[in-house]
């Protein structure tokens, strides 16, 4: 067992109101610069919808993530070294600016400086790329609130099965929710393995995936390889940039900007301990539907004395161990199992997980003529929710509807029980027992999901600068490549480049 620590995030989708505050504050912090106007390290997209960039989830087209070859070995979907070498100067699997959107500004000057005239002056849109007047025909969340959904949302790659026929975009029948996205800081990052220059790396101490700006040669293989399309090219510098998980804040024990400013208070940050020796095996799990369990099995119980001892041996400090025990992410992902990863079938083992949205369940009970106080009626309604289980399963469980139904039933039982308690009743524990929760656990989970305070939502231990020397030793102990060309066997196993944080090596998403 080789214990490592990773800072990870969970988002509770029931609470996202699609206000885009997270995106805007992230942009102000990281990409409010020439060359990355089109880039949203954090974006919020309406689902169903084609997302940003357009149809990024269609890996047949974009070739992102990992797949198993005929012998069951993990290989990059974008191809091996030779294919990547041959496409160095002409890579057909890159989104164009049309797939993102053409960033615009407005002729604000015209509003105050226009000469006296009969008509009121207007601020016309102008491309920030060309400086010329332009028409706005696409955006980073074009189907916001399902506007334009009848024309576009049907192209959502998640609407591919037979069941999708029942998804309608007529006003009375439709459903929507918001999906905030950022780099997943994957345990098995395809971007890192695809980089020919060794510029992309995963930090040993907290798992944050960064780009070394000095090493980046602008080959853009990372853009193709990332199935979430969360690496962007800065058109001014020609180098790759990406979400940094706000590492300077994380090192100071503070939450990321998107988390700090989230209006819905739906983001959680905390440590997960994992066994680095099991990452490659988990990512190569044969059946896609088993990937969720395989990834959960990589995570370690920080309360287990054996794990704690191994973590100490790996150089994880005592306050980090304590933070791992108090981690809201560990509670939601592993203890209560209500959070799910986005597209586990990409095999990157993503580390931003989601509590799926529970659309109005009591409405569904009413619509079926059921009794809201009868747990059987409430559970039955989960399969008739406005957001189809199949759709959520495409997003979070590689198509396994049973897992999604299980999570939604847990949330339903919790809601029903806490509703009774709030109304001054004892609370019927039958439904809780059916989903494997005790009354005490239900109250703990409810506190976490509904009323958790700042310090409960963000349990981020500060970095130990005095451990820099130990981290160097850890890097040297690490049986993976630390620079230059990825070594093929390790790439096949999906083990990423691991590197320590160094003050002297520029590391981050900005030039
Ligand atoms: S989500 Fe982030 S860490 Fe994962 S492959 Fe994409 S850029 Fe790399
Ligand atoms: S700030 Fe929070 S509530 Fe608003 S869009 Fe972002 S994640 Fe959703």
């Amino acid at each position: 067992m080789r214990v490592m620590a990773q800072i990870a995030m969970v988002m509770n989708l029931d609470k996202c109101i699609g206000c885009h505050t997270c995106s805007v504050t992230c942009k102000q912090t990281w990409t409010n610069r020439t060359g990355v106007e089109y880039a949203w390290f954090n974006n919020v997209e309406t689902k169903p919808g084609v997302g940003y960039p357009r149809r990024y989830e269609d890996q047949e087209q974009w070739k992102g993530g990992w797949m198993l070859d005929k012998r069951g070995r993990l290989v990059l979907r974008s191809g091996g070294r030779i294919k990547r070498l041959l496409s160095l100067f002409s890579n057909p699997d890159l989104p164009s600016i049309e797939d993102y959107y053409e960033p615009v500004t407005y002729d604000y000057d015209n509003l105050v400086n226009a000469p006296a005239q009969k008509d009121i002056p207007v601020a016309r849109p102008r491309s920030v790329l060309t400086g010329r007047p332009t028409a706005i025909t696409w955006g980073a969340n074009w189907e916001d609130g399902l506007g334009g959904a009848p024309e576009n949302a049907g192209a959502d790659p998640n609407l591919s099965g037979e069941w999708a026929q029942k998804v309608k975009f007529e006003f009375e029948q439709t459903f929507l929710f918001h999906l905030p996205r950022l780099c997943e800081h994957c345990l098995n990052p395809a971007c890192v393995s695809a980089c020919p220059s060794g510029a992309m790396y995963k930090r040993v101490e907290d798992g944050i995936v960064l780009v070394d700006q000095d090493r980046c040669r602008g080959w853009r293989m990372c853009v193709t390889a990332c199935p979430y399309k969360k690496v962007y090219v800065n058109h001014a510098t020609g180098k790759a940039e990406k979400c940094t998980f706000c590492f300077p804040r994380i090192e100071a024990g503070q939450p990321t900007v998107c988390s700090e400013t989230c209006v819905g208070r739906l983001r959680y940050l905390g440590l997960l301990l994992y066994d680095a020796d099991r990452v490659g095996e988990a990512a190569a799990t044969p059946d896609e539907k088993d990937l969720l369990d395989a990834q959960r099995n990589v995570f370690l119980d920080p309360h287990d004395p054996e794990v704690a001892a191994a973590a100490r041996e790996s150089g994880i400090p005592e306050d980090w161990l304590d933070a791992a025990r108090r981690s809201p992410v560990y509670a939601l992902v592993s203890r209560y199992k209500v959070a799910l990863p986005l597209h586990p079938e990409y095999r990157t083992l993503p580390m931003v997980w989601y509590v799926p949205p529970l659309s109005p369940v009591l409405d569904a009970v009413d619509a079926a003529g059921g009794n809201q106080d009868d747990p059987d009626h409430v559970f039955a309604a989960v399969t008739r929710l406005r957001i189809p289980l199949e759709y959520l399963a495409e997003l979070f469980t590689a198509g396994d509807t049973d897992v999604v139904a299980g999570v939604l039933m847990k949330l339903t039982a919790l809601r029903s029980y806490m509703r009774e308690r709030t109304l001054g009743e004892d609370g019927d524990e039958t439904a809780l027992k059916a989903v494997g929760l005790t009354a005490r656990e239900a109250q703990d989970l409810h506190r976490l999901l509904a009323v958790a305070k700042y310090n409960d939502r963000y349990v981020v231990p500060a970095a130990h600068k005095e451990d820099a020397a130990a981290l160097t030793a850890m890097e040297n102990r690490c049986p993976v490549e630390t620079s230059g060309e990825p070594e093929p066997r390790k790439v096949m196993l999906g083990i990423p480049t691991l590197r320590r944080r160094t003050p002297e090596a520029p590391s981050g998403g900005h030039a």
Side-chain angles (χ1 to χ4, degrees):
M1 175 168 32
R2 192 161 49 104
V3 183
M4 299 194 82
Q6 163 104 24
I7 185 83
M9 186 185 284
V10 169
M11 294 192 233
N12 182 359
L13 293 183
D14 253 337
K15 290 180 159 190
C16 181
I17 57 172
C19 65
H20 301 272
T21 307
C22 47
S23 305
V24 171
T25 50
C26 171
K27 188 153 213 25
Q28 292 284 33
T29 309
W30 293 104
T31 58
N32 193 10
R33 293 170 286 115
T34 306
V36 277
E37 296 92 344
Y38 77 102
W40 294 86
F41 288 175
N42 182 104
N43 75 293
V44 182
E45 54 204 34
T46 303
K47 287 290 181 190
V50 296
Y52 159 83
R54 221 183 285 233
R55 286 179 57 80
Y56 70 92
E57 291 155 296
D58 181 358
Q59 304 312 336
E60 291 299 316
Q61 178 179 4
W62 301 116
K63 309 279 188 291
W66 301 86
M67 58 183 221
L68 298 183
D69 68 7
K70 286 191 189 126
R71 289 195 275 164
R73 294 176 312 177
L74 201 58
V75 291
L76 286 171
R77 197 178 278 274
S78 55
R81 294 175 122 201
I82 294 176
K83 180 173 176 219
R84 291 206 302 278
L85 202 63
L86 291 175
S87 49
L88 268 187
F89 298 102
S90 171
N91 181 351
D93 305 318
L94 284 175
S96 66
I97 196 70
E98 287 77 31
D99 295 306
Y100 293 96
Y101 76 112
E102 183 177 27
V104 296
T105 184
Y106 294 87
D107 271 336
Y108 295 112
D109 271 0
N110 196 44
L111 294 179
V112 285
N113 296 329
Q117 55 187 291
K118 199 168 68 171
D119 301 315
I120 296 172
V122 294
R124 293 191 191 285
R126 195 172 277 280
S127 165
V128 297
L129 300 181
T130 64
R132 288 200 285 273
T134 188
I136 301 175
T137 56
W138 194 249
N141 186 28
W142 194 246
E143 305 101 345
D144 202 356
L146 289 188
E151 292 83 46
N152 297 312
D156 178 339
N158 300 297
L159 294 173
S160 56
E162 284 280 304
W163 62 271
Q165 303 306 321
K166 69 184 179 190
V167 175
K168 302 272 190 305
F169 293 106
E170 279 105 39
F171 180 71
E172 293 292 337
Q173 295 164 293
T174 197
F175 66 95
L176 76 89
F177 60 95
H178 301 284
L179 183 69
R181 292 200 307 118
L182 59 153
C183 167
E184 298 276 347
H185 297 278
C186 308
L187 285 186
N188 182 37
C191 58
V192 172
S193 294
C195 175
S197 316
M200 309 275 305
Y201 65 103
K202 187 167 177 68
R203 298 210 302 195
V204 167
E205 66 272 35
D206 56 15
I208 295 178
V209 175
L210 294 168
V211 189
D212 184 331
Q213 294 289 294
D214 280 349
R215 283 191 172 194
C216 179
R217 296 286 171 267
W219 298 122
R220 305 174 190 206
M221 296 300 162
C222 50
V223 181
T224 300
C226 172
Y228 302 94
K229 289 293 165 276
K230 279 295 170 189
V231 189
Y232 305 85
V233 174
N234 181 321
H235 294 293
T237 64
K239 301 201 178 202
E241 296 191 12
K242 62 178 290 301
C243 160
T244 65
F245 230 39
C246 292
F247 70 88
R249 290 177 59 91
I250 293 287
E251 286 171 13
Q254 295 172 353
T256 62
V257 167
C258 57
S259 303
E260 174 89 48
T261 59
C262 173
V263 173
R265 300 183 180 187
L266 57 94
R267 296 185 184 229
Y268 301 80
L269 282 167
L271 283 185
L272 278 175
L273 301 183
Y274 68 97
D275 184 353
D277 287 338
R278 301 216 299 255
V279 168
E281 186 193 339
T285 300
D287 188 339
E288 288 182 345
K289 291 189 175 148
D290 294 334
L291 279 162
L292 167 63
D293 277 345
Q295 186 171 0
R296 279 215 182 103
N297 289 338
V298 170
F299 302 144
L300 299 167
D301 180 354
H303 302 91
D304 181 336
E306 251 182 65
V307 170
R312 285 185 196 105
E313 193 151 313
S314 293
I316 295 174
E318 211 56 47
D319 57 332
W320 279 50
L321 264 177
D322 178 52
R325 291 186 195 108
R326 294 184 291 113
S327 166
V329 173
Y330 178 75
L332 295 170
V333 166
S334 292
R335 188 183 309 141
Y336 296 122
K337 295 187 168 55
V338 290
L340 300 169
L342 184 61
H343 289 302
E345 72 276 15
Y346 297 164
R347 298 179 181 274
T348 61
L349 307 188
M351 293 301 278
V352 175
W353 288 39
Y354 296 87
V355 179
L358 186 64
S359 53
V361 66
L362 297 182
D363 287 358
V365 178
D366 284 344
N371 175 1
Q372 291 191 0
D373 295 326
D374 184 331
D376 286 343
H377 290 191
V378 177
F379 279 167
V382 164
T383 56
R384 296 191 299 272
L385 292 174
R386 280 169 60 197
I387 303 177
L389 285 181
E390 293 91 341
Y391 187 78
L392 295 176
E394 286 295 318
L395 283 175
F396 300 119
T397 59
D400 190 337
T401 49
D402 289 347
V403 175
V404 177
V407 171
L408 295 183
M409 282 181 184
K410 206 174 265 189
L411 296 174
T412 304
L414 179 68
R415 191 178 287 192
S416 180
Y417 173 76
M418 290 311 298
R419 187 164 167 262
E420 287 178 12
R421 299 271 306 189
T422 310
L423 292 173
E425 298 165 21
D426 285 345
D428 182 356
E429 293 179 30
T430 317
L432 286 187
K433 283 198 185 113
V435 294
L437 285 176
T438 64
R440 198 189 166 112
E441 286 172 334
Q443 285 170 38
D444 183 46
L445 183 54
H446 171 262
R447 182 193 55 77
L448 199 53
L449 288 176
V451 294
K453 299 282 183 251
Y454 188 96
N455 289 339
D456 298 321
R457 280 181 281 127
Y458 312 130
V459 180
V460 183
H464 283 254
K465 292 195 176 60
E466 71 278 10
D467 285 349
L471 285 168
T472 307
M474 188 191 290
E475 177 190 1
N476 294 337
R477 275 212 319 269
C478 218
V480 295
E481 74 278 16
T482 53
S483 64
E485 286 281 291
E487 191 270 316
R489 186 183 64 80
K490 286 160 187 165
V491 173
M492 298 297 267
L493 287 172
I495 301 170
T497 302
L498 292 165
R499 198 178 300 164
R500 70 188 171 89
R501 177 183 65 241
T502 53
E504 63 278 6
S507 58
H510 61 107

